[in-house]
Structures are given as C-alpha cells and as structure tokens.
Amino acid sequence: MTGDEQGSLKIVGLGPGNAHLITPEAQAAVDQATDIVGYIPYVKRIEPRPNLRLHASDNRVELERAQAALEMAADGKKVVVVSSGDPGVFAMAAAVFEAMETGPEQWRALDIEVCPGITAMLAAAARIGAPLGHDFCAINLSDNLKPMELIEKRVRLAVEGDFAMAFYNPRSKFRPEGFSRILNVLKTTCTPDRVLMFAKSVSTLDEDIRVVPLSDCRPEMADMRTIVIVGSSTTRIVPKTGGQNGVFVYTPRSVEA
Ligand code: SAH
C-alpha cells in the first residue's frame, strides 16, 4: 500500500442500459471511485469527472483486467469494476474471484464487494410480461469458454425438464453457426408453436422486442445485443385489447400434476 487510504474493490452492475435502472448502491460506488475498470462500451457509460481514471479494455482480456483491478485496490485506490446488467451473470465478478484465488494472498485481505444489477433477462422479461414466472434457466450460448456440444446438451436437457430459458450472447459475427444449431435443437425437441422472444437493446433507444413462434424463428433475429427468451411448454400469449397492438407473454406459476 502506498497511500494512507485503504483501497477497495467494488464489482458493480450497471443494469441493461437505461440510467433509471442503475441501483442507488451501484451509482454511489461509481460516484466514490477513483478508478473505473471495464470493457470499453460499459466504461463509456460512466460520466467522466476530474480525478476519476477510466481504464477501458477489450472484452477478451477479462482475467488481466481483473488482476489490474486487484493490483490497484491493493495499492490504495477505490476501484470499481463495471459490468452491464448484473456483474455475477456471465460477467466480471467471477473473473475477479478467479484472479483473486490464484493471485497473491494479500488480495484476499482486500475490501471486496459485489453490487448487483438488473440482468438482461429480467429487464427483457419485464417488458414482455412474465415469461420467467415459473422455473427457468439461463444459458450463455457463447462457445468462447466452453464447447458447443455442452451448450447443445444443456439446451436439450432444459427442454426435457420443461424449463423456460434465457439465452445470453446468442449470436455474434465471429460465431454465426452456433445459434442455428441451437434453433435446430429446439425445432427437433419442441412443438412449432413454442413461443420465443427476441429482446434487443432492452431499455435503450434501440430497443426492439419480438414474440415469435418457433416455426418462424430465424438465426438472423438475434445478435450480440439480443437476449432470447424461450418459453416452456406452458407459456401463454395474451393479446392486448383496447386498440393496443401486441401481446403479453407469461408462464403460469403452477403446473398440474
Ligand atoms: N452481465 C450481463 C450479461 C453479459 S453477457 C447481464 O447481467 O445482463 C452479454 C449479453 O447480455 C448480450 O449478448 C445479450 O445477450 C445480453 N444483454 C445485455 N444487455 C442487454 C440489453 N440491454 N438488451 C438485451 N440483451 C442484453
């Protein structure tokens, strides 16, 4: 430690995009930080101010970014690592703990806190109704950190268990095939009327939400800014009335024996 100040590390979720959906706790952590660490587009969401250092890096250097954050906190800085949504959902919190576990022992003596945020699947579900109202699971479709066969297996077993599902990172230009494979798994295991929701850039100006039966789903409907929610076999669609377009989607809270 160089200064008199005790350093700290907060791993903060900034929510799905809209400033209203940042928790007061997360905002206070950002307001008190000396250093902000994160992936470039998330660091861009932080208002610059004097004496606040912004450390933005590329997405594929999570562990190095986590190590740098821990080093700065050990050096007496008030470090905030930012993620979108919730930091514990396919994001930086696990990377920080992995770096901590394998790093110098003094890192474990640090004041470390995780500040939760509204994760994409919950923001998207709220826009549509309550598609995650009964049992559900979240699956990251990126095969950067696990094999595609495991992703397909998990989707197959989630269908067998009749879970609703939320797919994060469904499709990127680097892996255009993966989501086609997952849609094929769904098309061979679910009836054609299974309801899917493609929710893009939820809570931002680019928000676009579509409710589509499985039979009409095409891979191009998803990109890296989309979260895909797959209903269970009991998920229901309720058309709005009173001159409003669109539908509500919900999954009933009970399943008959
Ligand atoms: N920690 C984040 C998830 C990071 S993984 C969270 O809790 O939300 C990145 C993926 O999250 C994207 O590929 C997309 O599937 C989803 N995502 C993040 N923000 C989103 C938003 N505003 N609208 C729709 N999907 C979003």
Side-chain angles (χ1 to χ4, degrees), residues 114-156:
V114 181
C115 302
I118 297 178
T119 188
M121 68 178 173
L122 299 184
R127 278 285 192 270
I128 298 163
L132 305 178
H134 193 70
D135 298 343
F136 66 91
C137 62
I139 303 179
N140 184 349
L141 295 195
S142 167
D143 62 354
N144 286 345
L145 300 170
K146 62 187 168 189
M148 194 62 212
E149 292 67 32
L150 180 62
I151 302 172
E152 287 177 309
K153 178 179 171 186
R154 287 185 174 162
V155 171
R156 267 198 312 274

Side-chain angles (χ1 to χ4, degrees), residues 127 209 211 238-248:
R127 278 285 192 270
I209 295 182
V211 178
V238 186
K240 297 181 184 177
T241 60
Q244 301 182 92
N245 287 324
V247 296
F248 291 113

Side-chain angles (χ1 to χ4, degrees), residues 13-18 39 42 45 59 62 83-92 117-124 139-142 166-172 175 198-204 207-208 223-228:
L14 297 177
N18 189 307
Y39 176 39
Y42 307 153
R45 285 168 57 183
N59 209 13
E62 280 193 353
S83 286
S84 76
D86 182 275
V89 179
F90 311 131
M92 281 306 291
I118 297 178
T119 188
M121 68 178 173
L122 299 184
I139 303 179
N140 184 349
L141 295 195
S142 167
F167 294 154
Y168 285 75
N169 295 306
R171 186 165 173 268
S172 85
R175 15 172 214 93
F198 294 84
K200 183 174 178 178
S201 301
V202 175
S203 86
T204 75
E207 179 175 293
D208 179 39
D223 64 13
M224 280 304 276
R225 293 184 299 155
T226 309
I227 183 135
V228 181

